[in-house]
Amino acid sequence: MTRIIEDTLQCFVCGAKSQQRQLASTHEHGSPDLDGRPAEEARSTMPEWVQTCPRCGYCAPELSRGHESSRALVRSPAYQAQLRAQDSPLLANRFLCAAMACDAAGRDVDAAHHRLHAAWVADDEGRPELARQYRSAVADALLARREALRAWRAGDGDWKGAEVTFLVDVLRRAGRFQEALRELENALQKGVSSIVREILRFERSAIERGDAGGHRLAEALSGSVLREDPRDDDPLLGYLLSHCGDFVTPQENKAAFTGTLRTPEGERWATDDPQVLTLLAHGKKAFTAALEKRLLADHPDKVVINRCPKCGGIARTPKARQCRFCHHSWHDKR
Ligand SMILES: [Zn+2]
Ligand SMILES: [Zn+2]
């Protein structure tokens, strides 16, 4: 659920007090876009991502905080012109002003973020030319400082190279297809994870079609890699993770949560971690059975696997005395 609170805040630049809305909490249901734009409900909370002082026009995620450089910047004609620009959406202007404040403070990663948010506003307002222009500025900033890109979207292990998928998507959606393709091929040559390779393949086919539109991560990754909780599929695995979790190793835990990835070469586990691949070598069911066996062998006095005496189904909890499958109850029988 999305929750927005109102609060009186004092402007960092001019000291004026004003009522401001703040995003207290939100959530995402579904796949984000390839450029990181979240799914609903978070997707629609953008007006709450930047606050604006009604007196001086200072724009920032938190109006009461800022960098000294903001004081002079907000008074400058360039800033005031951006704030009041007629040819762009009001909310985009606010993000672009927040970006200018970050530029002045030397916070280029945050500046790029705000400019990307302006592009999302332009997308929603049906202004593709403006969106392209804002994305192009984001791409320029990231190309000029690749370490900022890595800091922003660093992907380790199974997401190695994730920052490149982001850069490629921004370039593609800015209509800079040749550069997008060059970045993509470079990354593939240098080596990326299996998941990232599939995303880059998706980007490549979009570029080849001349497609500069938005796409969801779920479109690029088929298989079960993005499914949220494996415990829903397998009651025994759910039981082991929930009730014996203290004895489950990080590698086993990772194996439990690893989904599959459909690739042109066939379906595979969505990980490159050799230890996890070994655990999953005979499938998820076999992994779960082996995990149960190991837990019982290593911790016979602590691990209780509560099964229904009638059908053998796994109970919900170690103390449950009724079967969720056959409804048999064994309250006094043990
Ligand atoms: Zn102010
Ligand atoms: Zn039963």
Side-chain angles (χ1 to χ4, degrees):
M1 206 187 75
T2 295
R3 209 165 60 84
I4 290 159
I5 50 173
E6 288 212 17
D7 203 3
T8 305
L9 295 178
Q10 185 166 24
C11 174
F12 172 79
V13 168
C14 75
K17 286 185 177 164
S18 61
Q19 278 289 106
Q20 297 288 339
R21 286 158 62 89
Q22 281 174 301
L23 190 61
S25 66
T26 186
H27 82 127
E28 258 194 272
H29 189 76
S31 165
D33 292 1
L34 284 164
D35 68 0
R37 184 169 181 188
E40 295 293 3
E41 296 170 1
R43 194 177 185 86
S44 294
T45 59
M46 276 198 289
E48 269 50 74
W49 298 0
V50 58
Q51 300 175 336
T52 304
C53 173
R55 190 160 92 184
C56 71
Y58 176 53
C59 297
E62 279 180 84
L63 200 57
S64 53
R65 301 171 67 154
H67 187 269
E68 281 308 315
S69 57
S70 299
R71 299 188 202 277
L73 173 78
V74 168
R75 273 182 238 113
S76 72
Y79 183 96
Q80 292 294 328
Q82 179 63 73
L83 186 63
R84 294 181 169 76
Q86 297 287 317
D87 55 351
S88 46
L90 191 70
L91 182 55
N93 287 341
R94 292 166 56 198
F95 281 124
L96 295 172
C97 281
M100 288 173 82
C102 292
D103 285 337
R107 290 175 21 225
D108 43 5
V109 173
D110 294 328
H113 255 133
H114 290 310
R115 290 201 169 86
L116 184 63
H117 298 162
W120 296 347
V121 173
D123 290 339
D124 289 353
E125 299 270 326
R127 303 285 302 273
E129 263 316 312
L130 271 186
R132 257 199 285 279
Q133 188 189 314
Y134 299 157
R135 283 194 169 86
S136 216
V138 174
D140 286 339
L142 297 174
L143 286 167
R145 268 205 63 200
R146 283 176 186 265
E147 62 275 27
L149 176 65
R150 273 188 292 274
W152 187 356
R153 289 287 147 135
D156 57 350
D158 291 338
W159 290 86
K160 181 171 175 258
E163 71 280 5
V164 181
T165 69
F166 173 73
L167 175 62
V168 166
D169 196 69
V170 172
L171 283 167
R172 178 181 65 78
R173 297 198 62 194
R176 292 162 65 169
F177 293 141
Q178 288 313 313
E179 285 166 274
L181 214 48
R182 198 160 58 229
E183 292 293 333
L184 185 159
E185 299 298 351
N186 272 346
L188 286 174
Q189 250 172 28
K190 268 197 246 163
V192 295
S193 74
S194 303
I195 293 174
V196 167
R197 188 166 56 239
E198 289 314 304
I199 300 172
L200 291 178
R201 281 170 164 166
F202 179 88
E203 288 282 359
R204 181 160 54 197
S205 65
I207 293 165
E208 284 164 357
R209 290 193 304 273
D211 173 358
H215 292 284
R216 306 254 165 162
L217 183 59
E219 295 175 63
L221 296 177
S222 54
S224 62
V225 56
L226 294 175
R227 199 175 42 207
E228 274 162 26
D229 198 336
R231 286 175 288 199
D232 303 340
D233 303 338
D234 183 345
L236 175 58
L237 186 56
Y239 182 100
L240 297 175
L241 294 177
S242 301
H243 303 295
C244 317
D246 290 351
F247 309 114
V248 174
T249 68
Q251 248 66 37
E252 287 167 340
N253 194 62
K254 191 170 170 196
F257 280 88
T258 296
T260 57
L261 188 59
R262 229 166 280 139
T263 76
E265 296 82 37
E267 191 152 357
R268 54 158 297 155
W269 292 110
T271 183
D272 301 311
D273 184 326
Q275 280 177 287
V276 172
L277 288 170
T278 302
L279 287 169
L280 291 170
H282 303 291
K284 198 62 106 36
K285 281 264 171 246
F287 158 73
T288 304
L291 177 61
E292 180 187 11
K293 223 168 132 185
R294 183 192 75 71
L295 289 170
L296 281 170
D298 290 357
H299 308 280
D301 48 336
K302 300 241 176 56
V303 166
V304 177
I305 308 289
N306 184 15
R307 288 181 182 280
C308 166
K310 196 167 156 196
C311 76
I314 187 82
R316 270 186 216 285
T317 70
K319 292 207 164 80
R321 291 291 176 264
Q322 185 166 25
C323 177
R324 64 174 129 172
F325 302 106
C326 74
H327 305 295
H328 173 66
S329 95
W330 58 94
H331 287 279
D332 344 289
K333 293 171 193 150
R334 273 190 177 177

